[in-house]
Amino acid sequence: MKVTIDGISLDVPQGTTILQAARMIGPEVAPPTMCYYSKLKTSGGYCRTCIVKVTKGSNQNPNPIPKPVASCRTEVLDGMEVQNVTSSEVLEARKGVVEFLLINHPLDCPVCDQAGECHLQDLGYGHGAASSRYEFKRREYEMIDIGPHIKLHMNRCILCYRCVKTAEQITNGRVHGVMHRGDAAEISTYIEQALENDFSGNVIDVCPVGALTDKTYRFKQRVWFTKPMDAHRNCKTCSGQVRLWLKGEQVVRVTRAKMPGMKWSPLFAIHADLIIKKHRIGLLKVPLKFNGIRLYHKTITST
Amino acid sequence: MATTLLLKHIAVPGIKSLDVYRNMGGYASVEKALRTLTPNQVTEEVKKSGLRGRGGAGFPTGMKWGFLAKPEGVPRYLVCNADESEPGTFKDRYLMEHIPHALIEGMITSSYALGARKSYIYIRGEYFYVSRILQHAIDEAYAAGWLGENILGSGFSHDCYVQVGAGAYICGEETALLESLEGKRGNPRIKPPFPAVAGLWGCPTVVNNVETIAAVCPIITMGGEAYSKIGIGKSTGTKLISASGHINKPGVYEIELGLPVEEFIFSDAYCGGIRNGRKLKAVVAGGSSVPILPAELILKTAQGEPRLMSYESLAEGGFQTGTMLGSGGFIVMDDQTSIVKNLLTFARFYHHESCGQCSPCREGTGWMEKLISKFLSGTAHESDVDLLWDIQSKIEGKTICPLGEAAAWPVAAAIRHFKSEFLELARNKSYVEINHYKRLQPVS
Amino acid sequence: MSAEVHGTQKFDATKRTQIVFSASAMALVQKLISNYPKGKEKSALIPVLHIAQAEFGGWLSPEVMDYVASVLQIKPVEVFEVASFYTMFHLKPVGKCVLEVCQTSSCWLNGAEDIVHYIEKKLGIKVGETTPDGMFTLKVAECLGSCGTAPMLQCGASYHENLTYTKVDQILEQYASEGRPRYYTDLDYTNTL
């Protein structure tokens, strides 16, 4: 199928979304995303950051789509023509979306552990305005623990649903979800249950902002003062693909190593880039030169 | 101009019951369809009639039915949208409460056309007592053989169920309604796929408004061709209008499409003029989400033509000088009404009803409400009008479902036609809430 | 987590075991479930929550939601997600009679705010509060589809329309003497919702 994005054409297989096609072309035309996560089923569509304009629907039906569409949830049709950065309308709309995402955000980046690897920070930097027009009191929630190792800072949440879908799709007993509605909607556990199973730590990794943070790492170190190193650990339950974050010779944080791989599901956990709690917590105590870890990547110097 | 189809027998005592409804010619469409027409022929009649969705969008019903996917071995569903929640609209409640069999009859005939073995009526939770009336009507219909196995010996079997919601305007959006019917949060789905392909429980589904389904009965009985001759142009047939606000005779009126707006407001056959001898200031013609129009533009188009109650005439002039027929929620305001305060009630409504899935609506609706409140509390600046305009423009069209537009349009229209009222409040900090209750007590 | 912030009460597992639908309510629940295809029992959740709210004191406690989850064999979090989405479900205790006065456009145009003030003065409570005797909770509601008969209020399953101050007096007296409103389940308990 042929699709043209910002004047650049390419052929893509059926079922490719506009976003995937744009990413194939390259970062210069790929729209930014916040809520879309490629490994999840039915992910995306909520934040509206990736909206683009379809100026020609397809060869069969060349009419434009009247409203901007979420590129992450819209499949390419043969002959489709799309405008992203070449449309001032799209850029203006995106600016609006960034503003909406930020009006109730606490902007507490100086004390946020996500700073330096926060998608919202990047989005605001790239597409936002220098000052806010919002003059009202921001929405506030108390910070809570939603499990022994996870801190929920609801003030920072942009309701991307990524953690909910992750829990739904890779574990059997989801205990957290989106409660209430409208601008009172919030991520919460059912009553006082805790997210506590082998895979629950992965919700931290999928959170695009600082809403879910790793309690073992909170206020330990700024991200940009640590160096990532990918490593592999033999494991029967998960992929064992870990990323160790080093401060000198000390492991200060463990996340999963991002790998291009297949979609997540409980069946394929072992193949996907998911890691279990044992590694996330356990490796913090393991000295770097321990034999149980096989280093198979060189140190990555930039994140 | 006084053709009535749906409410023809409204005054007949006992019309709520199956026996009286039947005596007045009820269930004729089921008889005609099952005995003499194929399902496709029923759909063809609906296409010929020119019937357009009565829920608000005005999409041709026959075409919507035509989109229904019919894969082998997969059940298809008809779902009736009785989640009427658009402020200013109460016609479906009136119809279901007084002539419940009109809906049940329409459900059977329409299901026959669509090949639906089962249908569901999703009614808003607050209308609980109406759901009981519907359930009673369904029970009567089962007892008389209009529902169940092998209806009229035709081989067509059908079951109809009522389900209540629990308070959420967004469930009037068809995919949110389906989510709610499945026992979930009323979050609209991202389309495509459309319900015609993957709707209720992933099966092909048609969702139609109560009045749309009820209108199928006269269409089949009299024939699509005859129905299409009622009304004006592409606005065929009759429409139930919910009239409320500062008028002498609020209520539900069945009008033939094409009736002049002026006649509707001032004739004693309809609204009966403005209450307490006051003057007309503005009208919201089709439910809270359609643009408000000042008196001069609702009575006459910008070209000076008389404005008619039809899809086309009300939309004449686009949003610059026109509005929409919408759901037919006709709210009339007299010359003492504050347009800004009325807008606040709308903005508060949409803020309250946003599902919270997508960011422009979740964040924007609350922001607009807070800004509008500033004008009434005397803390607004003139520049806030421009800010308000900019926010609504950034919500409109950027959301998953049409609630974004529904929230943005009334704000845009109020600024477009009544900007001076906003500026006046910003300059003079002069808003004083009047006691509407006392003001409206009849002059003795 | 802080229970107060999240609008729910502390969960008490011992209470949960005391919560069981009456035989008639259970029969109704089973009838409702049978309205849906096999495997789609979750579809009955909203009507079943209405029944639960009427059965167990007019609000949905964590224990009640947990019980509903077990009846429909779904995850408790799914019940909480749904119950907190819809305005007709109360997640905190409320008075026996919840008065919900519509305040949207047509009702405002016809004096809804004045009706609210009148009730506030009469009951000595503000919107959102409950009278000390636990009889009345006053709330404001968004459009209830009664615009032509504005102003109006809903209490339980009853609509009270074309309100006047005198009518409000009568309604409050009637509820005070009857002790409770008509619940959804009062309107013919033998049939489906």
Side-chain angles (χ1 to χ4, degrees), chain B residues 30-48:
Chain B
V30 178
E31 273 183 317
K32 184 172 172 186
L34 268 55
R35 292 215 165 113
T36 66
L37 301 172
T38 66
N40 282 342
Q41 283 171 326
V42 175
T43 306
E44 279 311 308
E45 289 302 316
V46 173
K47 280 186 183 164
K48 264 190 245 167

Side-chain angles (χ1 to χ4, degrees), chain B residues 206-255:
Chain B
V206 165
V207 185
N208 280 144
N209 171 260
V210 172
E211 189 189 345
T212 312
I213 292 174
V216 169
C217 310
I219 288 170
I220 297 308
T221 312
M222 72 200 291
E225 183 105 25
Y227 185 89
S228 73
K229 298 213 167 90
I230 305 168
I232 182 166
K234 283 186 175 170
S235 297
T236 61
T238 63
K239 172 91 186 83
L240 299 180
I241 304 291
S242 321
S244 68
H246 296 145
I247 45 175
N248 280 315
K249 292 170 61 199
V252 174
Y253 297 99
E254 182 173 15
I255 59 151

Side-chain angles (χ1 to χ4, degrees), chain B residues 137-414:
Chain B
I138 289 172
D139 295 345
E140 280 185 313
Y142 270 109
W146 295 107
L147 279 169
E149 299 292 323
N150 194 16
I151 300 163
L152 298 178
S154 66
F156 175 68
S157 303
H158 188 71
D159 291 309
C160 181
Y161 305 96
V162 183
Q163 201 212 53
V164 290
Y169 166 75
I170 191 60
C171 292
E173 196 277 338
E174 60 179 9
T175 58
L177 185 153
L178 295 175
E179 286 284 297
S180 186
L181 192 48
E182 292 180 9
K184 300 175 190 160
R185 295 162 63 81
N187 286 341
R189 295 174 182 171
I190 290 160
K191 295 184 266 191
F194 289 89
V197 176
L200 186 59
W201 303 306
C203 302
T205 305
V206 165
V207 185
N208 280 144
N209 171 260
V210 172
E211 189 189 345
T212 312
I213 292 174
V216 169
C217 310
I219 288 170
I220 297 308
T221 312
M222 72 200 291
E225 183 105 25
Y227 185 89
S228 73
K229 298 213 167 90
I230 305 168
I232 182 166
K234 283 186 175 170
S235 297
T236 61
T238 63
K239 172 91 186 83
L240 299 180
I241 304 291
S242 321
S244 68
H246 296 145
I247 45 175
N248 280 315
K249 292 170 61 199
V252 174
Y253 297 99
E254 182 173 15
I255 59 151
E256 182 171 342
L257 287 165
L259 180 80
V261 173
E262 186 159 7
E263 185 182 342
F264 183 69
I265 299 175
F266 293 102
S267 157
D268 278 341
Y270 303 105
C271 302
I274 312 301
R275 235 193 283 179
N276 287 3
R278 302 227 55 106
K279 279 198 181 118
L280 174 67
K281 179 173 185 179
V283 171
V284 174
S288 58
S289 49
V290 312
I292 190 171
L293 285 184
E296 61 277 14
L297 281 175
I298 188 69
L299 298 176
K300 287 196 162 55
T301 67
Q303 273 71 45
E305 301 282 320
R307 185 86 74 179
L308 309 177
M309 301 284 278
S310 73
Y311 292 98
E312 292 75 21
S313 178
L314 283 168
E316 176 90 37
F319 277 6
Q320 283 312 307
T321 57
T323 179
M324 285 167 75
L325 178 61
S327 62
F330 200 87
I331 309 171
V332 180
M333 289 160 222
D334 73 14
D335 53 356
Q336 285 186 316
T337 308
S338 163
I339 298 298
V340 181
K341 178 63 191 270
N342 182 66
L343 180 64
L344 176 68
T345 74
F346 288 158
R348 185 173 58 202
F349 175 84
Y350 290 110
H351 176 205
H352 184 257
E353 301 298 340
S354 166
C355 82
Q357 258 194 140
C358 63
S359 37
C361 176
R362 178 181 68 236
E363 307 294 348
T365 49
W367 193 359
M368 292 199 298
E369 187 201 332
K370 291 187 186 101
L371 265 180
I372 297 165
S373 295
K374 278 180 70 183
F375 288 92
L376 302 170
S377 62
T379 52
H381 305 285
E382 286 180 39
S383 61
D384 285 331
V385 185
D386 303 325
L387 178 57
L388 194 55
W389 180 270
D390 193 57
I391 298 169
Q392 67 79 22
S393 75
K394 289 198 158 112
I395 300 174
E396 189 205 351
K398 318 297 187 296
T399 51
I400 294 173
C401 83
L403 197 141
E405 278 94 273
W409 289 345
V411 174

